Amino acid sequence: MTPEKLRAFCLSFNAAVEDFPFNPETSVFKVLGKMFALTNLGARPLTVNLKCDPEDAVRLREEHEGLIIPGYHMNKRHWNTVTVDGQLPDRLVKELIEDSYDLVAAGLPRAERLRLDRA
């Protein structure tokens, strides 16, 4: 997956926006103010931090050793760093991004979740 495709996919979700709260190089993708993906689109290898169910996080790290690792500078229980350099299928990367978005959206207050459903 290219950096452009990663960015476009992250922005394809309802109410998703790109923000740069840390520095101009670090893209933070948010849904209604809550982060679901963090990446430096210019980095090589390209990686993205994604929220993950804790049990799935451990399983994914075991199944894709070295390509999915505990989240860099994140809560290691809930976040993974995923290497997006072509070694993992794009389909899997997209599923992980979507799962991250869904987990974050599910944690939003009810009124905000309802706003998402209407978007």
Coordinates of all heavy atoms in Angstrom, one line a residue, residues 16-59:
A16 N -14.0 11.2 9.2 CA -12.5 11.1 9.4 C -11.8 12.3 8.9 O -12.2 12.9 7.9 CB -12.0 9.8 8.7
V17 N -10.8 12.8 9.7 CA -10.0 13.9 9.3 C -8.6 13.6 9.6 O -8.3 12.8 10.4 CB -10.5 15.2 10.1 CG1 -11.9 15.6 9.7 CG2 -10.3 15.1 11.6
E18 N -7.7 14.4 8.9 CA -6.3 14.3 9.1 C -5.8 15.5 9.9 O -6.2 16.6 9.6 CB -5.5 14.2 7.8 CG -4.1 14.0 7.9 CD -3.4 13.9 6.5 OE1 -4.0 14.3 5.5 OE2 -2.3 13.4 6.5
D19 N -5.0 15.3 10.9 CA -4.6 16.4 11.8 C -3.1 16.2 12.0 O -2.5 15.2 11.8 CB -5.3 16.3 13.1 CG -5.2 17.6 13.9 OD1 -4.7 18.6 13.4 OD2 -5.6 17.6 15.1
F20 N -2.4 17.3 12.4 CA -0.9 17.3 12.6 C -0.6 17.9 14.0 O 0.1 18.9 14.1 CB -0.2 18.0 11.5 CG -0.4 17.4 10.1 CD1 -1.5 17.9 9.4 CD2 0.4 16.5 9.7 CE1 -1.7 17.3 8.1 CE2 0.2 15.9 8.4 CZ -0.9 16.3 7.6
P21 N -1.1 17.3 15.1 CA -0.9 17.9 16.4 C 0.5 17.8 16.9 O 0.9 18.5 17.8 CB -1.9 17.1 17.3 CG -2.0 15.8 16.6 CD -1.9 16.0 15.2
F22 N 1.3 16.9 16.4 CA 2.7 16.6 17.0 C 3.7 17.4 16.2 O 4.6 18.0 16.8 CB 3.0 15.1 17.0 CG 2.0 14.4 17.8 CD1 1.2 13.4 17.2 CD2 1.7 14.6 19.2 CE1 0.2 12.7 17.9 CE2 0.8 13.9 19.9 CZ 0.0 12.9 19.3
N23 N 3.7 17.3 14.9 CA 4.7 17.9 14.0 C 4.1 17.8 12.6 O 3.2 17.0 12.3 CB 6.1 17.3 14.1 CG 6.1 15.8 13.8 OD1 5.6 15.4 12.7 ND2 6.6 15.0 14.7
P24 N 4.7 18.5 11.6 CA 4.2 18.5 10.2 C 4.3 17.2 9.5 O 3.7 17.0 8.5 CB 5.0 19.6 9.5 CG 5.7 20.3 10.6 CD 5.8 19.5 11.8
E25 N 5.2 16.3 10.0 CA 5.4 15.0 9.3 C 4.5 13.9 9.8 O 4.3 12.9 9.1 CB 6.9 14.5 9.6 CG 7.9 15.4 8.9 CD 8.3 16.6 9.8 OE1 8.2 16.5 11.1 OE2 8.5 17.7 9.2
T26 N 3.9 14.0 11.0 CA 3.1 13.0 11.6 C 1.6 13.2 11.4 O 1.0 14.1 11.9 CB 3.4 12.8 13.1 OG1 4.8 12.6 13.3 CG2 2.7 11.7 13.7
S27 N 1.0 12.4 10.5 CA -0.4 12.4 10.2 C -1.2 11.7 11.3 O -0.9 10.5 11.6 CB -0.7 11.8 8.9 OG -0.2 12.6 7.8
V28 N -2.2 12.3 11.9 CA -3.0 11.7 12.9 C -4.4 11.7 12.3 O -5.0 12.8 12.0 CB -3.0 12.4 14.2 CG1 -4.0 11.8 15.2 CG2 -1.6 12.4 14.8
F29 N -5.0 10.5 12.1 CA -6.3 10.4 11.5 C -7.3 10.2 12.7 O -7.1 9.3 13.6 CB -6.4 9.2 10.5 CG -5.5 9.5 9.4 CD1 -4.2 9.0 9.3 CD2 -5.9 10.3 8.3 CE1 -3.4 9.2 8.2 CE2 -5.1 10.5 7.2 CZ -3.8 10.0 7.2
K30 N -8.3 11.1 12.7 CA -9.3 11.1 13.8 C -10.7 10.9 13.4 O -11.0 11.3 12.2 CB -9.1 12.4 14.6 CG -7.8 12.7 15.2 CD -7.8 14.0 15.9 CE -6.5 14.3 16.6 NZ -6.5 15.6 17.3
V31 N -11.5 10.4 14.2 CA -13.0 10.4 14.0 C -13.6 11.2 15.2 O -13.3 10.8 16.4 CB -13.6 9.0 13.9 CG1 -13.2 8.1 15.1 CG2 -15.1 9.1 13.8
L32 N -14.2 12.3 14.9 CA -14.8 13.2 15.9 C -13.8 13.5 17.1 O -14.2 13.4 18.2 CB -16.1 12.6 16.4 CG -17.2 12.5 15.3 CD1 -18.4 11.9 15.9 CD2 -17.5 13.8 14.6
G33 N -12.6 13.8 16.7 CA -11.6 14.2 17.7 C -10.8 13.1 18.3 O -9.9 13.4 19.1
K34 N -11.1 11.8 18.0 CA -10.4 10.7 18.7 C -9.5 10.0 17.6 O -10.0 9.6 16.5 CB -11.4 9.7 19.2 CG -12.3 10.3 20.3 CD -11.5 10.6 21.5 CE -12.4 11.2 22.6 NZ -11.7 11.5 23.8
M35 N -8.3 9.8 17.9 CA -7.3 9.2 17.0 C -7.6 7.7 16.8 O -7.8 6.9 17.7 CB -5.9 9.3 17.6 CG -4.8 8.7 16.8 SD -3.2 9.0 17.4 CE -3.2 8.3 19.0
F36 N -7.6 7.3 15.5 CA -7.7 5.9 15.1 C -6.5 5.4 14.3 O -6.2 4.2 14.2 CB -9.0 5.5 14.4 CG -9.1 6.1 13.0 CD1 -8.7 5.3 11.9 CD2 -9.7 7.3 12.8 CE1 -8.9 5.8 10.6 CE2 -9.9 7.8 11.5 CZ -9.5 7.1 10.4
A37 N -5.6 6.3 13.8 CA -4.4 5.9 13.1 C -3.4 7.1 13.2 O -3.8 8.3 13.2 CB -4.7 5.7 11.6
L38 N -2.1 6.7 13.2 CA -1.0 7.6 13.3 C 0.1 7.1 12.5 O 0.5 6.0 12.6 CB -0.6 7.8 14.8 CG 0.6 8.7 15.1 CD1 0.3 9.4 16.4 CD2 1.8 7.9 15.3
T39 N 0.6 8.0 11.6 CA 1.7 7.6 10.7 C 2.5 8.8 10.2 O 2.1 9.9 10.2 CB 1.1 6.9 9.4 OG1 2.1 6.4 8.6 CG2 0.2 7.8 8.6
N40 N 3.7 8.5 9.8 CA 4.5 9.4 9.1 C 4.5 8.9 7.6 O 5.2 7.9 7.3 CB 6.0 9.5 9.6 CG 6.9 10.4 8.8 OD1 6.6 10.7 7.7 ND2 7.9 10.9 9.5
L41 N 3.8 9.6 6.8 CA 3.6 9.1 5.4 C 4.9 9.1 4.6 O 5.0 8.5 3.5 CB 2.5 9.9 4.7 CG 1.1 9.6 5.3 CD1 0.1 10.6 4.7 CD2 0.6 8.2 5.0
G42 N 5.9 9.9 5.0 CA 7.1 9.9 4.3 C 8.2 9.0 4.8 O 9.3 8.9 4.3
A43 N 7.9 8.2 5.9 CA 8.9 7.3 6.5 C 9.0 6.1 5.6 O 8.1 5.6 5.0 CB 8.4 6.9 7.9
R44 N 10.2 5.5 5.7 CA 10.5 4.2 5.0 C 11.2 3.3 6.0 O 12.2 3.8 6.5 CB 11.3 4.4 3.8 CG 10.6 5.2 2.7 CD 9.3 4.5 2.2 NE 8.6 5.3 1.3 CZ 7.6 6.1 1.6 NH1 7.2 6.3 2.8 NH2 7.0 6.9 0.7
P45 N 10.7 2.2 6.4 CA 9.5 1.6 5.9 C 8.3 2.4 6.4 O 8.3 3.0 7.5 CB 9.5 0.2 6.4 CG 10.2 0.2 7.7 CD 11.3 1.3 7.4
L46 N 7.2 2.4 5.7 CA 5.9 3.0 6.1 C 5.3 2.2 7.1 O 5.1 1.0 7.0 CB 5.0 3.1 4.9 CG 3.6 3.8 5.1 CD1 3.8 5.2 5.6 CD2 2.8 3.7 3.8
T47 N 5.0 2.8 8.3 CA 4.3 2.1 9.4 C 3.1 3.0 9.8 O 3.0 4.2 9.5 CB 5.2 1.9 10.6 OG1 5.6 3.2 11.1 CG2 6.4 1.0 10.3
V48 N 2.1 2.3 10.4 CA 0.9 3.0 10.9 C 0.6 2.4 12.3 O 0.6 1.2 12.4 CB -0.2 3.0 9.9 CG1 -0.7 1.6 9.6 CG2 -1.4 3.8 10.4
N49 N 0.3 3.3 13.3 CA -0.2 2.8 14.6 C -1.7 2.7 14.5 O -2.3 3.7 14.1 CB 0.3 3.8 15.7 CG 1.7 3.7 16.0 OD1 2.5 2.9 15.5 ND2 2.1 4.5 16.9
L50 N -2.2 1.6 14.9 CA -3.6 1.3 14.9 C -4.1 0.7 16.2 O -3.4 -0.1 16.8 CB -4.0 0.3 13.8 CG -3.6 0.8 12.4 CD1 -3.7 -0.4 11.4 CD2 -4.4 2.0 11.9
K51 N -5.3 1.2 16.6 CA -5.9 0.6 17.8 C -6.4 -0.8 17.5 O -6.8 -1.1 16.4 CB -7.1 1.5 18.2 CG -7.6 1.1 19.6 CD -8.5 2.2 20.2 CE -8.8 1.8 21.6 NZ -8.9 2.9 22.5
C52 N -6.3 -1.7 18.5 CA -6.7 -3.1 18.3 C -7.2 -3.7 19.6 O -6.8 -3.3 20.7 CB -5.4 -3.8 17.9 SG -5.7 -5.5 17.2
D53 N -8.1 -4.6 19.5 CA -8.6 -5.4 20.6 C -7.4 -6.1 21.2 O -6.6 -6.7 20.5 CB -9.6 -6.4 20.2 CG -10.0 -7.3 21.3 OD1 -10.8 -6.9 22.1 OD2 -9.5 -8.5 21.3
P54 N -7.2 -6.0 22.5 CA -6.0 -6.6 23.2 C -5.7 -8.0 22.8 O -4.5 -8.4 22.6 CB -6.2 -6.4 24.7 CG -7.1 -5.2 24.8 CD -8.0 -5.3 23.5
E55 N -6.7 -8.9 22.8 CA -6.5 -10.3 22.4 C -6.1 -10.4 20.9 O -5.2 -11.2 20.6 CB -7.7 -11.1 22.7 CG -8.0 -11.3 24.2 CD -9.2 -12.1 24.5 OE1 -9.8 -12.8 23.6 OE2 -9.7 -12.0 25.7
D56 N -6.7 -9.7 20.1 CA -6.3 -9.7 18.7 C -4.9 -9.1 18.5 O -4.2 -9.6 17.6 CB -7.3 -8.9 17.8 CG -8.7 -9.6 17.7 OD1 -8.8 -10.8 17.9 OD2 -9.7 -8.8 17.4
A57 N -4.6 -8.1 19.2 CA -3.3 -7.5 19.1 C -2.2 -8.6 19.3 O -1.2 -8.7 18.5 CB -3.1 -6.4 20.1
V58 N -2.3 -9.4 20.4 CA -1.3 -10.4 20.7 C -1.2 -11.4 19.5 O -0.2 -11.8 19.1 CB -1.6 -11.1 22.0 CG1 -0.7 -12.3 22.3 CG2 -1.4 -10.0 23.1
R59 N -2.4 -11.9 19.1 CA -2.5 -12.9 18.0 C -1.8 -12.4 16.7 O -1.0 -13.1 16.1 CB -3.9 -13.3 17.8 CG -4.1 -14.3 16.6 CD -5.6 -14.6 16.3 NE -6.4 -13.4 16.1 CZ -6.4 -12.7 14.9 NH1 -5.6 -13.1 13.9 NH2 -7.1 -11.6 14.7

